Amino acid sequence: MEFLVILGAVVVVVTIIALVWLILKELKEELEIEKRNTELLKMWLEKARKEREKEE
C-alpha cells in the first residue's frame, strides 16, 4: 500500500515538472516571436524615418 502512495506522489511530481517545462517552452517561443516583431518594427520605423528625411 505504501508503494502505491509513493508511486502516486512520484507521478504527480513528474507531471507537474513536465507541465512547467512545457509552459516555459511556450513562453520562450512567444518571447522569440516578440523579439522578431520588435526588430521588424525597428527596421520599418528606421526606413520610414529615412524616407521622411529624403522628402524634406
Side-chain angles (χ1 to χ4, degrees):
M1 189 65 171
E2 285 182 26
F3 174 74
L4 292 177
V5 172
I6 293 171
L7 182 63
V10 168
V11 168
V12 168
V13 169
V14 169
T15 303
I16 291 171
I17 291 172
L19 287 173
V20 169
W21 180 75
L22 287 172
I23 290 170
L24 290 176
K25 183 179 171 185
E26 287 295 318
L27 288 174
K28 181 181 175 188
E29 289 175 5
E30 287 292 323
L31 182 61
E32 289 174 359
I33 290 170
E34 289 298 323
K35 282 182 183 178
R36 274 187 260 135
N37 287 345
T38 302
E39 289 173 7
L40 288 172
L41 181 60
K42 283 180 183 178
M43 288 173 29
W44 181 77
L45 289 173
E46 183 67 24
K47 182 179 176 183
R49 185 182 61 81
K50 286 180 181 178
E51 287 181 12
R52 193 170 1 120
E53 287 176 356
K54 285 180 182 178
E55 290 175 1
E56 291 178 357

